[in-house]
Amino acid sequence: MTAQHPTPAPSSRAGSSSGASARGPRVVIIGAGIVGANLADELAARGWTDVTVLDQGPLPLTGGSTSHAPGLVFQINTSRTMTKLAAYTVAKLTDLDAFTPVGGLEVATTPERLAELHRKHGWGRSWGIDAALLDPAEAAHRFPLLDAEKVLGALHIPSDGLASAVRAVDALIARAGARGVRFIGGTRVTGVDVRDGRVRGVRVVSSAAAPDAAEDTLGADVVVSCAGFWGQQVGDLVGLPVPLLPMAHQYATTTSLPELAQVPRPDRMNTVLPILRHQDRDLYYRQLGDRLGIGSYAHRPLPVNVADIPRTDPAAVAPDAMPSRLGFTAEDFEPSWKESIQLLPALGAAEIADGFNGVFSFTPDGGSLVGESPHARGFWMAEAVWVTHAAGVARSVAELLVDEHTEVDLHELDLARFERIQLEDDYVRETAAQNFVEVYDIIHPLQPRLSPRDLRLSPFHPRQVQLGAVFLEAGGWERPHWYEANASLVDALPAAWAPRPRDPWAARFHSPIVAAEAHATRTSLAMYDMTPLKRVEVSGPGACALLQHLTTGKIDKSVGAVTYCLALDVAGGIRSDLTVARIDEELFQVGLNGGIDLDLLARAADDARTAGGPPVTVTDITDTTCCIGFWGPNARAALAPLTDADLTNAGLRYFRGATIGVAGAAVRALRLSYVGELGWELYARTEDGLSLWDALWEAGRPYGVVAAGRAAFNALRLEKGYRAWGTDMTTEHGPEAAGLGFALSPTTPVDYVGRAAAAQRTDPVRLTCLTVDDGVSVPLGKEPVLVDGRPGGYVTSAAFGYTIGRPVVYAWLPNGLDVGDPVTIEYFGRPVAATVAAEPLVDPAGERLRA
């Protein structure tokens, strides 16, 4: 079965000239597991064949997680991205004759899990994966060992199945090797050469050599770490923090089961039963001939120190002696064995024949890690990738390297998505371990982590606590969702604004108080803490040119101008939306969507310096400044007495800014409003934050000012049709399709990134506004939307629109729908009628904003 692998000595690459050749740049991939082998194959298919894949273990059974992975592939995920990556993996492994589509079966033993399976069935319809809901008898028919009396229902996915990771790697090595890719086993990477901020090569030594053996060097223009749970150690070679925690996960094999011995097994996988998940007890099962393999996440977290794992024997790795297979802790598996017998009574006559604790990679949010080092250009990572998504991730990394954009949006996987505090060792250890515990839990979209908390507090936090803020968490920030101090306002609301009853799922992490906060914003005045939103200063002689190159708006305007614009990729997809305020001739404040945007700007500034252009500096000012959204019809009346600045329309127009004095503090006042009401974003130094809050609060008292939270903020922005990047649109969508064509400046002389591509895009879908006909059902996002009874798209954002008195939904739907057309949202399997609506639903002429 093992292919013949070309294994030239590492020194054969040392004398290569730098720079790209006709076969592409010189690429070194660290790790020949399922990800590294797939990446080599994807690069070779795109013409990059000057590729060397290194592994410290032997080929193809290297001893990493790939070598022992059980191979269960369940495709449907809450994430569209991860589902698409899994679907591509299934297709590619099928082509490699390394996948058996036995189907997937997920059972529910509690009402909560049954409801979750209905929700998951909806995700399948949203993402294009066929699935069916089964009753207990149908589930037992597909998996005869199942006790139908213990099951309330099941979800069946016919295209799920079993991947043979080792077989796939062997086939990939043969195919990529035939195209010129070199695979070298028994070789350990000891260093990465970086000069002038760029990768130049890797230092290697034989895995069998003594620790002090002489190193050899392989020249490289691009290095990609696909080292699995060794990823942190590889990242250390270039000083790149990798938020990854190796964890041990239990897997056991039973003795022979007579019930399975009678089942014909016509395929090479020795399997006919579907793969099975019992997520209520953190268990999964697969057939192995007349035995069952059982995987468990039900045990205590078992973090692994990679330094304690012995090095791979480069000569051979016996299946029971892999570095990634740790000793089985039978006491941890005992509860799972008892639960398994309850679900599958035939196991009562069997025993555990063998088992091991396999090492896998976990991250703080459960996502993979894909991206380039900010300090060592050309050094990339594709880590924390399971077999389920391996080929999809590899294809995406190859697309990034070769084409500079991906077919499937990757922002959920981008290494730059983490804040600095989320890269600290203590944070990674705690959150990754908790992610292991919750891997099969039912997680509400708004559910915050319980620990660690209070990591990042705005200067307004003491006042927010006094007002009874209910905090959720994002990026380490504590963010008020609503304030209990406003509870007394609910009963005084006009009848049209009265909160509607919600179903139990939509009612979680919600309060009727949100209606009062939305009402106060629309009718008088509210204060919003906008501090957690990332912002940077871009300064220097090259600042304007850099921003103009990266964004779609006209940036070279007068001092005080504020521009809403997009950042596109080379295919015209939306990388982000930004707000750029010109503070001075060579100073801009830019509102970002997160660390990925900061990474984009910082790289562009670095490229400009390298090219000898005018100096430009990008500075993250999020932690040294704060922001209050001061919004409502009475915002001007309340703010005017606190400043000598002219706040009239003539003095400070909509989408203009100025530095003004407010209660003794220097404040950048930008006349913007994400809730659709008159007002300002008021930025100040962190040390001035609390006094600014107090001054604004006191000035607002005559107008009944309230502190309002993110729930009201989200509802109000949807009524105004304001998009949220990463939720409503991503790189998979063009500006016109997203309803943001107005952000493409026709007068900008600069050929900004993606300009020509955006003009040529013809997206088949459009972001569409809907209202819910029954006036009460509130989807939470990702639900399928049926057009003429067939899946046509999916929900992005939704909230109750208090101003219009019914839920507001945005969804990607086919072009051609008209205002008034009916559609159906599938909510936990229940049809919810909705109607296409003209947007924005509130103040379409923008009169409130420009008052």
Side-chain angles (χ1 to χ4, degrees), residues 338-353:
K338 292 179 179 178
E339 292 290 351
S340 296
I341 293 174
Q342 291 293 313
L343 184 71
L344 309 173
L347 293 179
E351 297 178 349
I352 298 298

Side-chain angles (χ1 to χ4, degrees), residues 807-821:
V808 182
V809 174
Y810 274 82
W812 283 100
L813 294 175
N815 291 329
L817 292 174
D818 294 322
V819 172
D821 283 349

Side-chain angles (χ1 to χ4, degrees), residues 8-19:
S11 58
S12 67
R13 299 287 300 138
S16 298
S17 61
S18 61

Side-chain angles (χ1 to χ4, degrees), residues 542 607-616:
D607 289 342
R609 284 192 296 270
T610 301
V616 57

Side-chain angles (χ1 to χ4, degrees), residues 687-719:
E687 55 265 35
D688 294 329
L690 196 56
S691 60
L692 176 63
W693 177 284
D694 289 344
L696 293 172
W697 185 262
E698 191 62 31
R701 280 184 181 276
Y703 306 98
V705 66
V706 304
R710 295 292 298 180
F713 178 90
N714 190 55
L716 296 171
R717 69 100 180 168
L718 284 174
E719 291 182 331

Side-chain angles (χ1 to χ4, degrees), residues 78 116 119 123 126-127 442-447 472 481 502-511 711 714-715 717-718 726-728 772 776-785 794-800 802 807-811 825-828 830 832:
T78 181
E116 176 74 353
R119 187 164 73 120
W123 297 338
S126 292
W127 315 144
I442 300 170
I443 305 294
H444 190 277
L446 295 175
Q447 184 171 321
L472 301 186
H481 210 52
R502 293 191 171 207
D503 68 88
W505 182 254
R508 293 188 65 189
F509 307 104
H510 179 76
S511 168
N714 190 55
R717 69 100 180 168
L718 284 174
T727 300
D728 295 317
V772 175
V776 295
S777 297
V778 183
L780 295 183
K782 304 181 181 180
E783 295 87 354
V785 181
Y794 57 93
V795 172
T796 59
S797 296
F800 191 89
Y802 297 97
V808 182
V809 174
Y810 274 82
I825 301 168
E826 190 177 280
Y827 182 68
F828 285 92
R830 175 172 64 88
V832 174

Side-chain angles (χ1 to χ4, degrees), residues 543-583:
C544 185
L546 180 139
L547 290 169
Q548 192 64 82
H549 172 65
L550 291 178
T551 69
T552 64
K554 183 173 174 55
I555 303 301
D556 193 5
K557 299 177 181 176
S558 61
V559 171
V562 182
T563 304
Y564 174 82
C565 50
L566 307 176
L568 306 179
D569 67 11
V570 296
I574 304 173
R575 291 188 66 156
S576 188
D577 62 340
L578 312 172
T579 303
V580 181
R582 191 164 203 169
I583 308 302

